[in-house]
């Protein structure tokens, strides 16, 4: 039985986050699509991943890049058809690649039929009961029902207009106004999502990434809250009831995995979700600066909490919501926080790339599952100079540009050729890529990097091949080895990983073979910002 045939394949999997609109455009409209993915599956099979997580592929007006879903059981016509999705799931399975879909349960699109029905229905109606509609405060009800702020900036409430044109009730949206929050106290909402899970599991989906998983339930009193108060909408105890029910659904389908997108600073609270979900994303690791003692502390607390829950850890360096790590690690401040994106710091791309190579080997050697965000295998950096008029992220608009937003991590992939669209779209494409690609990416195309022994792509291919072939890697245990200051060294049962985050070269621990290194090892020493895999 191969690793991917096992029901618990996800415990040590390498999972590729595929951002659909930026992966590959077969149709020539400048937007990635499912036939584009289908044509590039060999690239992914060759990379050596076990599963693809597709960001939302449903019909959507794309006020938040598809995280505003208008129909959870269909495919956006810009991406293809349900038949394309079925074919992709099947073709993936033929390549040994599983499919993870993205479910967005906190909110839908304002174009979703339920929200449209709610807008046409009167206050107090069952249609409005699936969302959070409330009268405003103050004279004429012209103040929002409470003081909650949208995570994307501005108030979390928008006022409706009644059919006769008068101002009406307000509705809650923790994100953009085009993303009304569902009321999870409604049994209809609960039943609907359990049915959506079954719909995709029945079509062959192997797992579900749960968007904004800690936000679903709200304090029904909808209280104002100050900085000292517990959040009335984040990580409430009753959200676990929802996932107990989801787990019961998933358990009827062997081998399926539930993955929570949960941003919580408190690692113990994060781990509490492992009572219901199989895994959660490890954002403390992503946010951690390039610093040996802080990384070691995050690794230790992650492993401890996951071991207590009997769940595998996950390791994530980048995704479509954060600055790409080549850029993060090339700045003076290498940490990351969602609410502190800062594109004013200079970036040393050579340094960032060297560290990203070392980080790749460190991350892929840790016990558990690893996530790879599309383009990190090419060494792409955060594109910080997208002209204002081409930006799409609601964060950028809703903060008046104070927060640069996430467009810079979402630029379409460069596949081949010397100039944009770099094979992302066909040569006769009607439109340019939906976000502009830097000319310098001519050196980072999959084509240019293939066969180049020092390229990021070949490093990822080799690392993933070794990771798959070595039973000691993936799921399992780690033991720390004695190491000099600011050096991380551990043993994975015969395979050693050592990463030098100090400023001087260090000796390698005793070994019989060098399996892989992220850079040259002059005089057999490990230079700064370099990592190696060794056989004991
Ligand atoms: C998640 C997604 C992000 C989206 C938000 C609202 O954090 O990863 O891209 O904007 O949820 O759905």
């Amino acid at each position: 039985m191969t690793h991917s045939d096992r029901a618990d394949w996800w415990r040590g999997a390498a999972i590729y986050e595929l951002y659909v609109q930026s992966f590959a455009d077969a149709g020539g409209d400048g937007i990635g699509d499912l036939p584009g993915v289908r044509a590039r599956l060999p690239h992914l099979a060759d990379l050596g991943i076990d599963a693809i997580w597709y960001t939302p592929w449903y019909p959507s007006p794309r006020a938040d890049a598809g995280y505003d879903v208008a129909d959870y059981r269909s495919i956006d016509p810009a991406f293809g058809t349900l038949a394309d999705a079925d074919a992709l799931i099947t073709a993936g399975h033929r390549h040994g690649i599983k499919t993870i879909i993205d479910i967005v349960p906190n909110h839908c699109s304002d174009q979703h039929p339920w929200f449209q029905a709610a807008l046409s229905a009167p206050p107090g109606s069952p249609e409005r009961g699936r969302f959070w509609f409330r009268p405003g405060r103050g004279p004429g009800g012209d103040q929002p029902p409470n003081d909650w702020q949208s995570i994307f900036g501005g108030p979390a409430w928008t006022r409706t207009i009644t059919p006769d044109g008068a101002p009406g009730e307000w509705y809650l949206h923790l994100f953009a106004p085009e993303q009304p929050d569902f009321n999870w106290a409604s049994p209809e909402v609960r039943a609907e999502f359990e049915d959506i899970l079954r719909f995709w599991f029945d079509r062959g989906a192997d797992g579900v990434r749960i968007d904004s998983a800690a936000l679903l339930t709200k304090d029904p009193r909808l209280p104002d809250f100050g900085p000292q108060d517990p959040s009335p909408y984040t990580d409430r105890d009753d959200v676990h009831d929802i996932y107990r029910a989801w787990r019961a659904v998933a358990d009827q389908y062997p081998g399926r995995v539930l993955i929570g997108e949960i941003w919580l600073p408190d690692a113990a609270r994060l781990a509490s979700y492992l009572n219901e979900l199989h895994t959660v994303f490890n954002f403390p690791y992503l946010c951690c600066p390039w610093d040996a003692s802080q990384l070691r502390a995050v690794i230790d607390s992650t492993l401890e909490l996951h071991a207590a829950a009997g769940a595998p850890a996950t390791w994530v360096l980048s995704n479509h919501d954060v600055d790409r790590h080549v850029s993060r690690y090339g700045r003076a401040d290498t940490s990351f926080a969602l609410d502190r994106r800062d594109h004013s710091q200079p970036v040393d791309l050579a340094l960032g790339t060297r560290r990203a190579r070392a980080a790749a080997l460190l991350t892929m050697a840790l016990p558990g599952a690893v996530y790879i965000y599309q383009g990190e295998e090419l060494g792409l950096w955060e594109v910080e100079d997208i002209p204002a008029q081409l930006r799409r992220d609601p964060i950028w608009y809703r903060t008046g540009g104070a927060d640069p937003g996430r467009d810079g991590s979402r630029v379409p992939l460069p596949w081949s050729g010397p100039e944009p669209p770099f094979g992302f779209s066909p040569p006769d494409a009607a439109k340019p890529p939906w976000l502009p690609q830097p000319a310098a990416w001519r050196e980072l195309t999959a084509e240019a990097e293939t066969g180049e022994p020092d390229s990021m792509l070949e490093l990822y291919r080799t690392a993933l091949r070794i990771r798959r072939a070595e039973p000691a890697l993936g799921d399992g245990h780690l033991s720390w080895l004695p190491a000099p200051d600011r050096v991380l060294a551990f043993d994975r049962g015969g395979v050693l990983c050592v990463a030098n985050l100090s400023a001087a070269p260090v000796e390698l621990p005793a070994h019989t073979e060098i399996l892989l290194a992220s850079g040259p090892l002059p005089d057999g020493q490990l230079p700064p910002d370099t990592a190696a895999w060794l056989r004991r």
Side-chain angles (χ1 to χ4, degrees), residues 38 194 428 522:
R38 179 83 187 270
E194 288 165 31
D428 55 351

Side-chain angles (χ1 to χ4, degrees), residues 378-400:
L378 301 174
L380 300 188
W381 60 78
E382 183 75 11
V383 183
E384 300 187 1
D385 58 356
I386 300 173
Q389 72 277 13
L390 296 180
R391 290 192 178 262
R392 302 290 182 86
D393 188 352
I395 293 185
W396 193 85
Y397 289 101
R398 289 181 63 82
T399 63

